[in-house]
Each structure stands twice: as structure tokens, then as C-alpha cells.
Amino acid sequence: MIAIVDCNSFYCSCERLFKPGLQHKPVVVLSNNDGCIISRTDEAKKLGIGMAGPYFEARPLIEKHNVAVFSSNYNLYGDMSWRVMEVLRMIAGKDNVEVYSVDEAFVNLEHVATDQLQATAKLMKETIEQWTGIAVSVGVAPTKVLAKVANRLSKKNKATSQGVMVLHTQEDQREALKKTMIDDIWGVGGAYADKLRNMGIVTAYDLSKMPQAWGKSFMGGVVGERLIRELNGIQSMKMEDELVTKKMIATTRMFGAPVADLKSIKEAVATYTSRAAEKLRRQHGAAKSISVFIVPKEQSHNSRFRHGPIISSNTTLPMATSLTNELIKPALQMAEALFERGRLYKKAGVMLGHIVPDSSVQGNLFVPETKNKETMLMGMMDNINFSQRDDILKFASSGITRNWKMQQNFHSPRYTSRWDELFEVK
DNA sequence: TCTGGGGTCCTAGGACCC
DNA sequence: TCTGGGGTCCTAGGACCC
């Protein structure tokens, strides 16, 4: 059996930890640049505030009901996430935990006796809540997809489930599937949901009764086939080893306000490249390709498109590297080539691809000896920046004033990761 | 006026090879 | 007038996730 442990309204819960007065009050957390709502408490949901909707649209409701609003504080969420996952690893064993996202983890319960499943799930939940203060829901079932179904139902019926739901008989599974609409299935998004409904498939149960071959032809090939098997309790998605090596690393941001000058664009691109290179070094990788894109602010009144065209360029490097300076150079060249004077831009991004382990970087006869020193320099920069949790050291091309930086008007202190922002009790 | 950021997997189709 | 068959590799784009 597999459990999925999922933090309730995670970002909001983190903010509430340090503002006990907000317990049972509506709270929302905004995306970068304070653009969209990306986390809501139950109280905020009840007021009719939608998920992923733009902040400005929900603003009347928010002001009317005095909803607490926060900009996202990823230092805080990252640190709380680590604490939650550590508790799980202590209880279930390090190798049985697969961190799926910042607020979710799958836990392998293969070795737990059937009559102990409920108790184990409850233990995980209660320990996390007691030690970290973050409330979680737990779903347990024979497959990942069914565990997700269980988790969702446990959240929907908190009063009866106490935040834990175990689906271990086929009877339980069938009942749960009947209560789950197709668009609430993990792996069914908007496009497939529309398609399925048009074919008269409405509940997860309906979908589970379709033949696998049908899934193969109508739901994206092996993906659909696998989904149907999982719904029927046949494990088709394994527990993954902790996968730390990403195949692509991206750093992209909206600007605080549209930008028209090349200098700002270049500063932003240099900054994002530095950040991406940092992530790359953290996983001991080296990248062989880098691409840069910039997005013009939509000029036309044709508002059907949320984004303007994306203007991008890609460079293949002579050899894979993780050195910031070697990545910044081509990135800035591309930024310069893409930029058109007279246009307004709202976003830029950098992506690193063709990532290989840095130990396997192909030797090149023409690599100068100085390379080792540069690698050490990068390591030092990373250490200093990490211990300060800030870009205290950066490349000059990243700029000092940074007029293009995103807006974060409701940022809470980094309570758990900065000495000078510690929570104070008077 | 104002709509995030960072990923994954899969398929189709083109280019190319023998 | 008629122009094979079978591969591989790569990229773009769609769909999904949180």
C-alpha cells in the first residue's frame, strides 16, 4: 500500500504558524509579483475566492471580508517543507519516502500490516502536526492514483475522516471512485475532462470501467492505459527514488513593471542565469545548452491570448559547464540579439538543458588550467550566498538597482531561516 | 491597470541513414 | 506513368502536475 501525505493549504498554513491570530480566519498567499492567488485556507475558499485566479479580481471580496494576504515567502515554505519531510523520514524510514512536491510526499507502506495501516497513517499525521504545526491529510490505497483519490476524500470530509482515509478493500475503492468526478483524478486535466464528459464518462468509476486499450487510443497512449490500471488497483506507477537530478533547470520571472531598456533586460537575464547555475551546481550537474527568452507585453487588443509571443534563442556550448561566468556570456549575447528597441517587455527567462553529471564532463584538450580555480570560486560564492540566504555575492552584470525586480508588497519575515527576522515573543 | 514559476512525460512528424 | 522499407534521432508541442 502507498500513502500520500499532503499539507493542507500549505503556504497559508506556514504563514499562520507565526500569526496565531489568523487561526480560523481566511488567508491567501499570492504568486510572485503578487499576480495570482496560489494558496487559500478553507475559510477563504468558502468566501468564493477561486484558485489561481488573479489577485485584482478577487480583491473586492478580499477587502470586504478582511482576508489576510501574503506575498509568497519561499524561504519560509522551503524550510517548513524540509521539517515535514524529515518527520516522515523518521517514521517511515528514509528510503520509503518520495518527496513529490514542496507540500506532498508518497510513503511506501508495503511492510505495514493491513490492520496497522490506519494507525500508521494517523501516527504520521499527528506527529507532523505536533512537531511542525502544519496540518496534513493522509490517503492510503494500493496505487498512487487511488491514494490521491483517498486523500482528496479525506480532505472533503474532515469531520468524519479526521484527515485520514484508507481504501484497502475493493468495495471501499469502488465507493470512493463513484464519489470522484473525472476532473478530480490525478492525471486528468481540463482537456481530457472535456473529452471524457463528451463521451459520457463522468465519474472516476466510469473511467475505471473502460478497457485499457481504449485508454491507449483516447488518453495519450501509455499514459491513459496506466491511469486505468491504477484506478483498478493495479500498481503501474512505482515509488521513485529521490530524483534530485533535473533534466532541465529554468529561472523565469515577470518584471515588477514592463521594461523597455536593454540594460534592465540584461541585468535580469544575468540574475536568472546565476540562479539557474546555482541550482545546477547544487545537483552537481553541468549544462550543454542554454536558452534565453523574453516576452513582450501584449500590445494588441486581441486579449484572447494571455501571453504575447515568446521570443527565444538557444546556444549549444562547446562543452558542458556549471560556471556562472561561462553561462552568462552567451546568455547576454542572446538577450542582446533578441531585444528590439521600442518594445515593452514583461517577462524574461533562462533555461539550462542537456544536463549531465559534472563528473562526466567530457575532457577537452583546450581547457585551460585555471578552470579549477573558477570551480572553487563558484563553490565559495554558493556557500556564502547560502549561509546568508541572499544574493550577497553576485556578478556585476546582475545589476545593483534592479528596477525590474518583481513586486512583493505583502512579504512576511523569513522567521525560520534568518537570525534578524526571527519570531519575537514580547 | 493588474493573470506565477518550475517541472515531467509522451507523441507525432521531419530529417536522415542504409 | 511509374519512385521501398525500415530504422534512429531529434524537436516541437500537447497534456499534465503542484
Side-chain angles (χ1 to χ4, degrees):
Chain A
M1 299 287 264
I2 294 178
I4 176 97
V5 179
D6 179 318
C7 302
N8 302 340
S9 310
F10 181 55
Y11 296 170
C12 291
S13 301
C14 291
E15 298 291 350
R16 272 216 283 227
L17 276 180
F18 296 92
K19 296 241 164 143
L22 294 178
Q23 245 12 278
H24 311 299
K25 297 255 172 66
V27 177
V28 299
V29 172
L30 305 180
S31 63
N32 273 337
N33 226 24
D34 295 339
C36 297
I37 293 168
I38 52 171
S39 179
R40 309 161 295 158
T41 60
D42 286 344
E43 297 80 6
K45 286 174 201 171
K46 272 197 203 109
L47 294 174
I49 296 172
M51 184 59 176
Y55 170 53
F56 73 90
E57 257 176 43
R59 208 156 155 179
L61 264 177
I62 286 174
E63 280 166 6
K64 183 169 164 211
H65 294 99
N66 210 5
V67 177
V69 178
F70 294 90
S71 301
S72 28
N73 180 347
Y74 291 107
N75 281 285
L76 175 60
Y77 312 151
D79 189 59
M80 290 311 302
S81 171
W82 176 79
R83 293 172 193 226
V84 168
M85 301 307 172
E86 277 299 295
V87 177
L88 278 182
R89 284 188 272 255
M90 282 180 64
I91 294 175
K94 191 167 153 285
D95 297 334
N96 288 319
V97 177
E98 175 196 336
V99 176
Y100 177 68
S101 75
V102 67
D103 68 334
E104 278 177 62
F106 289 104
V107 181
N108 182 4
L109 298 181
E110 230 170 43
H111 311 294
V112 176
T114 306
D115 59 354
Q116 290 300 307
L117 289 170
Q118 182 81 30
T120 306
K122 206 165 162 235
L123 175 70
M124 294 193 290
K125 176 182 161 67
E126 287 173 353
T127 314
I128 289 173
E129 291 178 358
Q130 198 184 340
W131 290 6
T132 69
I134 300 286
V136 302
S137 303
V138 185
V140 179
T143 68
K144 284 186 171 179
V145 171
L146 286 174
K148 281 279 207 174
V149 167
N151 184 282
R152 183 177 157 278
L153 290 176
S154 81
K155 272 192 173 142
K156 272 192 76 176
N157 313 298
K158 278 197 191 107
T160 48
S161 73
Q162 306 288 333
V164 172
M165 178 157 297
V166 180
L167 299 176
H168 70 94
T169 69
Q170 295 206 345
E171 192 68 30
D172 293 342
Q173 290 156 29
R174 195 161 42 234
E175 286 314 302
L177 290 179
K178 284 182 179 166
K179 286 187 225 155
T180 304
M181 297 297 115
I182 42 170
D183 40 344
D184 292 321
I185 303 171
W186 187 49
V188 178
Y192 285 143
D194 286 346
K195 191 166 159 185
L196 292 176
R197 267 190 297 264
N198 283 334
M199 301 172 99
I201 298 165
V202 182
T203 66
Y205 179 73
D206 297 340
L207 181 57
S208 73
K209 287 294 147 201
M210 300 304 288
Q212 285 176 37
W214 176 91
K216 189 165 188 168
S217 347
F218 293 102
M219 288 188 75
V222 299
V223 180
E225 211 181 350
R226 194 166 60 198
L227 181 59
I228 291 176
R229 277 204 303 271
E230 284 263 319
L231 284 172
N232 285 287
I234 304 161
Q235 241 188 66
S236 306
M237 302 168 76
K238 292 203 185 65
M239 292 286 298
E240 303 281 346
D241 294 335
E242 206 79 30
L243 195 66
V244 275
T245 50
K246 288 175 183 143
K247 297 168 180 172
M248 183 201 82
I249 288 173
T251 303
T252 73
R253 298 262 183 293
M254 302 273 299
F255 301 130
V259 154
D261 63 301
L262 179 59
K263 178 170 171 283
S264 294
I265 301 257
K266 284 171 76 175
E267 282 181 10
V269 165
T271 304
Y272 303 161
T273 307
S274 308
R275 176 64 31 81
E278 234 175 78
K279 296 185 205 168
L280 182 65
R281 291 192 290 269
R282 205 176 306 152
Q283 68 169 45
H284 305 291
K288 184 116 171 81
S289 81
I290 174 167
S291 39
V292 167
F293 69 84
I294 52 179
V295 183
K297 180 173 151 59
E298 191 59 60
Q299 297 281 352
S300 75
H301 297 291
N302 181 358
S303 58
R304 255 171 26 87
F305 299 103
R306 203 174 120 187
H307 294 297
I310 292 173
I311 302 163
S312 70
S313 174
N314 181 76
T315 300
T316 300
L317 302 162
M319 59 180 292
T321 182
S322 65
L323 298 176
T324 301
N325 52 319
E326 288 185 357
L327 292 163
I328 281 186
K329 203 184 294 172
L332 289 180
Q333 279 167 5
M334 285 187 276
E336 232 176 298
L338 295 173
F339 177 80
E340 268 180 60
R341 193 158 300 283
R343 268 185 114 162
L344 268 179
Y345 297 91
K346 61 175 186 186
K347 181 177 183 173
V350 173
M351 286 189 256
L352 304 179
H354 297 108
I355 295 174
V356 295
D358 60 3
S359 54
S360 78
V361 170
Q362 301 237 327
N364 186 323
L365 285 177
F366 305 103
V367 179
E369 257 312 286
T370 57
K371 199 94 165 192
N372 284 330
K373 287 188 185 159
E374 291 180 41
T375 307
M376 283 171 61
L377 175 65
M378 290 298 127
M380 281 173 57
M381 265 185 81
D382 290 345
N383 283 337
I384 293 170
N385 283 337
F386 182 74
S387 63
Q388 302 295 316
R389 310 263 175 159
D390 217 340
D391 303 335
I392 196 162
L393 282 184
K394 59 194 173 211
F395 279 76
S397 49
S398 299
I400 306 289
T401 51
R402 303 184 164 196
N403 298 323
W404 43 270
K405 274 198 87 170
M406 65 184 174
Q407 293 184 34
Q408 292 204 297
N409 294 322
F410 317 100
H411 207 286
S412 51
R414 290 162 286 188
Y415 300 108
T416 62
S417 56
R418 286 288 293 257
W419 288 113
D420 51 351
E421 296 179 23
L422 272 184
F423 187 62
E424 282 179 31
V425 181
K426 307 242 173 299

